């Protein structure tokens, strides 16, 4: 029996290494080539137990999305291991589709299937992945839409919904399969400020129900209320980990201190 | 002026020519769509040798005149292989292979505009790459490609005159045959042109209606 729902052990992900090598060979300019290498994830380890709610935050471009994509194996890590329960996903020969069916993913830029209605978006995996019969898939999809309060959008296409509605459909799509964990990548950052509230409320509901979640977010009041642990991520690494109280009162590291000051000033000014 | 239209033999030539034109273009454009789709997928996901092979294929069919391709297929290839194949069948095949070379480009282009995010979304819900292609990427790509596909249909329709080089009488062929016995050059070509026009514009109109009906809401924003 695994202790963790999901675990990352010493994960690394670098972008552009191959390109950099090519540039090096092509014009012999090593330093120029090296600049193209982005080390988005450097030796990151993380454990999530059932019912945990953890929150990752940190500067733009620090590699948070990349790390989340690695956890779901949407990007394959260069090094390190990802575990889902006691299955190691980074071993060769693992059925990644099966593994991803047990992971919910909510994207920063929503990424709904554009040619399908809200209902169709949620139904598709229920039919194709879980192989549910038509009626049951429909029932479960409608239940998922109701859970995030977008039943009235069931027959709308993504382009016909507001950003907040679309993102809640995105959450319903991730939820409907009853995944072991949901990974949410800045679910509100692409939304207008007045629409973030409705998505945050949805996430608070999920938190109350004990959904296991790893959320990238900078919504600080939300973080303080629901996160058991906050993880400050910068330049591809976890810099500091602790309960919200630690970050809101006195972060241990200077970098976290500076970042918290900046972000709290920004929120109060708005 | 138009009394040649009353001649039953001329009527038959025109009808048969029109049928051949319609059949070979529909067949060509559909085979081209199927094969073009496979080529587009292979070009996106394939390794280097596959990409090179596809590029050679496309360059050959786009870079040489259709009548040369027809000629090679009907006379040269069977002779070299020392086999007998029905000429009409070969002509149909050439139209399909030729159209596939163009349609591969249209399909690849429309797939590439949606592939990044929609493939990630499909994988994220547990579907395989193939399932995502089938249920997410292709349904969107086909809707996007309809206008290009309509153009391809028009240009293929107008290329059927090349069938004369291998001994078949399409609509233009019918016109030529009529003119051998009847010197009404302008009326004959007017009639032939009117038939082309009616068929092409009717079909295009139908495709426009389908395009509008099946259009993914908000897709214009994506195409900009
Ligand atoms: N597919 C990719 N190819 C090349 N470089 C990439 C790719 N994806 C991300 N990167 C680079 O990796 C770094 C980390 O990006 P990532 O999107 O993970 O950061 P982030 O912390 O999520 O930022 P944000 O808060 O802006 O979303 C960036 O420098 C980015 O340019
Ligand atoms: Mg990000």
């Amino acid at each position: 029996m695994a202790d963790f729902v999901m675990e990352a052990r010493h994960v690394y992900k670098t972008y552009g290494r191959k390109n950099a090598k090519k540039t090096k060979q092509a014009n012999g300019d090593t330093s120029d080539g090296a600049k193209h290498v982005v080390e988005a994830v450097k030796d990151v380890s993380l454990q999530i137990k059932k019912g945990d709610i953890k929150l990752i935050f940190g500067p733009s471009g620090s590699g948070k999305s990349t790390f989340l994509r690695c956890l779901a194996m949407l990007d394959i890590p260069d090094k390190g291991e990802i575990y889902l329960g006691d299955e190691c996903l980074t071993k060769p020969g693992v059925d990644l589709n099966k593994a991803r069916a047990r992971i919910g993913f909510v994207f920063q830029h929503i990424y709904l299937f554009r040619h399908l209605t809200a209902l169709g978006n949620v139904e598709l995996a229920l039919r194709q992945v879980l192989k549910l019969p038509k009626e049951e898939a429909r029932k479960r999809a409608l239940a998922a839409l109701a859970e995030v309060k977008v039943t009235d959008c069931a027959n709308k296409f993504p382009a016909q919904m507001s950003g907040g509605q679309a993102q809640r459909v995105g959450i319903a799509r991730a939820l409907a399969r009853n995944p072991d964990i949901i990974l949410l990548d800045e679910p509100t950052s692409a939304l207008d400020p007045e629409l973030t509230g409705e998505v945050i409320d949805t996430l608070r509901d999920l938190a109350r129900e004990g959904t296991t979640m790893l959320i990238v977010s900078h919504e600080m009041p939300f973080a303080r209320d629901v996160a058991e642990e906050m993880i400050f991520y910068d330049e591809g690494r976890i810099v500091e980990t602790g309960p919200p109280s630690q970050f809101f009162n006195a972060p241990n590291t200077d970098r976290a201190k500076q970042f918290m000051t900046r972000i709290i000033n920004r929120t109060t000014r708005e | 002026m138009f009394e040649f239209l009353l001649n039953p033999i001329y009527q038959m030539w025109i009808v048969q020519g029109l049928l051949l034109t319609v059949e070979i273009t529909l067949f060509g454009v559909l085979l081209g769509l199927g094969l073009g789709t496979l080529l587009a997928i292979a070009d996106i996901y394939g390794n280097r040798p596959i990409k090179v092979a596809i590029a050679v294929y496309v360059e050959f069919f786009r870079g040489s005149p259709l009548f040369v391709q027809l000629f090679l297929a009907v006379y040269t290839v069977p002779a070299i292989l020392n086999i007998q194949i029905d000429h009409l069948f070969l002509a149909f095949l050439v139209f399909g292979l030729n159209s596939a070379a163009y349609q591969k480009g249209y399909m690849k282009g429309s797939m590439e505009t949606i592939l990044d995010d929609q493939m990630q979304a499909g994988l994220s819900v547990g579907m395989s790459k193939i399932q995502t292609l089938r249920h997410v990427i292709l349904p969107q790509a086909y809707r996007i490609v309809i206008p290009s596909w309509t153009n391809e249909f028009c240009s293929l329709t107008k290329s059927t005159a090349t069938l004369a080089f291998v001994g078949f009488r399409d609509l233009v062929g019918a016109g030529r045959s009529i003119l051998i016995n009847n010197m009404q050059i302008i009326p004959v070509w007017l009639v032939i042109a009117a038939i082309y026009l009616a068929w092409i514009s009717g079909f295009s109109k139908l495709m426009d209606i389908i395009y509008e009906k099946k259009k993914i809401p908000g897709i214009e924003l994506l195409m900009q």
Side-chain angles (χ1 to χ4, degrees):
Chain A
M1 185 60 207
D3 296 327
F4 304 115
V5 173
M6 184 161 248
E7 192 185 354
R9 291 188 197 160
H10 306 291
V11 170
Y12 288 79
K13 178 77 192 178
T14 303
Y15 284 117
R17 188 162 27 204
K18 276 187 203 144
N19 284 343
K21 259 187 197 155
K22 261 184 216 150
T23 3
K24 220 191 306 185
Q25 285 164 353
N27 55 20
D29 185 354
T30 322
S31 62
D32 188 40
K35 262 186 212 156
H36 291 112
V37 178
V38 180
E39 296 181 282
V41 182
K42 284 184 278 192
D43 193 17
V44 177
S45 299
L46 181 77
Q47 288 127 7
I48 300 165
K49 290 198 296 289
K50 192 165 162 46
D52 271 356
I53 297 176
K54 297 200 180 197
L55 189 128
I56 298 183
F57 70 109
S60 180
S62 58
K64 306 177 298 291
S65 296
T66 306
F67 176 57
L68 233 59
R69 281 201 304 271
C70 284
L71 284 176
M73 296 297 278
L74 290 169
D75 253 342
I76 309 301
D78 300 332
K79 232 165 66 181
E81 289 113 52
I82 308 283
Y83 284 86
L84 178 65
D86 38 27
E87 191 180 10
C88 180
L89 305 185
T90 35
K91 269 213 303 262
V94 177
D95 185 344
L96 288 180
N97 302 319
K98 236 183 202 146
R100 289 195 202 97
R102 291 163 52 200
I103 303 171
F105 203 101
V106 175
F107 293 92
Q108 189 166 5
H109 299 287
I110 309 178
Y111 292 178
L112 292 182
F113 304 127
R114 293 189 199 84
H115 66 307
L116 296 176
T117 61
L119 189 61
N121 265 273
V122 183
E123 257 178 357
L124 186 60
L126 299 177
R127 298 274 293 135
Q128 299 305 327
V129 179
L130 301 193
K131 310 282 183 202
L132 296 183
K134 216 174 178 146
E135 261 115 75
E136 202 184 330
R138 172 135 312 185
K139 243 183 24 212
R140 256 172 85 169
L142 283 170
L145 291 175
E147 193 171 345
V148 299
K149 305 196 176 71
V150 281
T151 308
D152 49 329
C153 293
N155 294 316
K156 285 189 184 165
F157 287 91
Q160 299 164 336
M161 295 178 228
S162 76
Q165 290 168 333
Q167 190 55 293
R168 283 183 287 158
V169 172
I171 294 171
R173 179 174 72 177
L175 269 179
R177 283 165 288 127
N178 284 325
D180 300 353
I181 181 171
I182 303 186
L183 309 174
L184 299 102
D185 186 8
E186 299 203 52
T188 60
S189 75
L191 306 180
D192 294 337
E194 68 267 27
L195 297 176
T196 53
E198 56 189 60
V199 173
I200 291 295
D201 286 344
T202 303
L203 297 182
R204 284 179 192 273
D205 290 343
L206 294 184
R208 262 194 296 278
E209 288 156 21
T211 316
T212 311
M213 291 190 277
L214 178 64
I215 311 170
V216 177
S217 176
H218 296 101
E219 296 293 321
M220 285 303 153
F222 166 72
R224 186 164 47 196
D225 295 348
V226 306
E228 275 119 34
E229 186 173 81
M230 288 173 69
I231 298 160
F232 178 58
Y233 192 104
D234 192 13
E235 293 179 353
R237 291 179 194 278
I238 292 179
V239 176
E240 183 173 342
T241 302
S245 59
Q246 175 180 323
F247 284 99
F248 284 96
N249 298 328
N252 294 332
T253 55
D254 286 342
R255 262 193 290 174
K257 223 173 269 174
Q258 284 163 10
F259 191 78
M260 286 304 288
T261 318
R262 259 214 326 266
I263 215 164
I264 286 167
N265 284 344
R266 195 175 67 200
T267 335
T268 43
R269 246 185 285 123
E270 268 166 15
Chain B
M1 242 170 90
F2 289 98
E3 48 283 354
F4 69 91
L5 279 173
L6 298 173
N7 183 324
I9 292 178
Y10 295 169
Q11 286 171 0
M12 192 183 71
W13 287 351
I14 289 176
V15 169
Q16 283 175 345
L18 175 64
L19 273 180
L20 179 61
T21 294
V22 167
E23 281 166 9
I24 201 164
T25 20
L26 286 182
F27 177 87
V29 103
L30 286 174
L31 177 64
L33 182 66
L35 193 57
T37 302
L38 293 179
L39 289 173
I41 294 171
D43 198 24
I44 291 171
Y45 289 108
N47 56 20
R48 192 128 185 94
I50 291 179
K51 284 183 207 281
V52 170
I54 292 172
V56 169
Y57 173 90
V58 169
E59 285 321 306
F60 172 75
F61 277 99
R62 290 201 316 188
S64 62
L66 184 57
F67 81 85
V68 173
Q69 296 162 18
L70 275 171
F71 212 83
L72 286 175
V74 169
Y75 298 119
T76 314
V77 174
I80 292 172
L81 299 178
N82 199 18
I83 40 170
Q84 288 239 322
I85 313 175
D86 180 51
H87 286 185
L88 196 58
F89 170 78
L90 287 171
F92 271 62
L93 204 59
V94 166
F95 269 71
L97 296 178
N98 178 285
S99 185
Y102 290 91
Q103 295 197 52
K104 178 239 134 197
Y106 306 144
M107 278 306 288
K108 190 180 172 198
S110 75
M111 285 171 74
E112 276 174 340
T113 55
I114 53 176
L115 205 56
D116 253 19
D117 62 311
Q118 298 288 296
M119 180 55 82
Q120 271 201 52
L123 294 178
S124 83
V125 297
M127 290 195 290
S128 65
K129 260 188 189 167
I130 291 174
Q131 281 178 315
T132 307
L133 277 172
R134 163 141 181 253
H135 297 287
V136 178
I137 307 294
L138 291 181
Q140 294 185 38
Y142 282 138
R143 286 165 164 91
I144 296 170
V145 92
I146 290 174
S148 310
W149 198 76
T150 309
N151 282 340
E152 170 63 13
F153 165 84
C154 295
S155 87
L156 210 58
T157 301
K158 288 174 286 186
S159 341
T160 60
T162 50
L163 286 167
F165 286 100
V166 288
F168 295 108
R169 187 154 58 202
D170 78 320
L171 202 47
V172 172
R176 270 204 211 99
S177 299
I178 294 169
L179 282 177
I180 291 172
N181 308 314
N182 176 312
M183 299 310 279
Q184 303 277 12
I185 295 183
I186 290 171
V188 168
W189 288 128
L190 275 178
V191 167
I192 300 294
I195 296 173
Y196 266 113
L197 194 69
W199 164 238
I200 288 180
S201 63
F203 192 90
S204 306
K205 189 82 213 146
L206 179 71
M207 293 314 292
D208 285 350
I209 292 169
I210 293 175
Y211 178 66
E212 285 302 322
K213 230 180 132 123
K214 289 277 165 191
K215 194 160 74 179
I216 305 162
I219 203 73
E220 299 88 348
L221 295 173
L222 190 72
M223 307 307 294
Q224 277 162 12

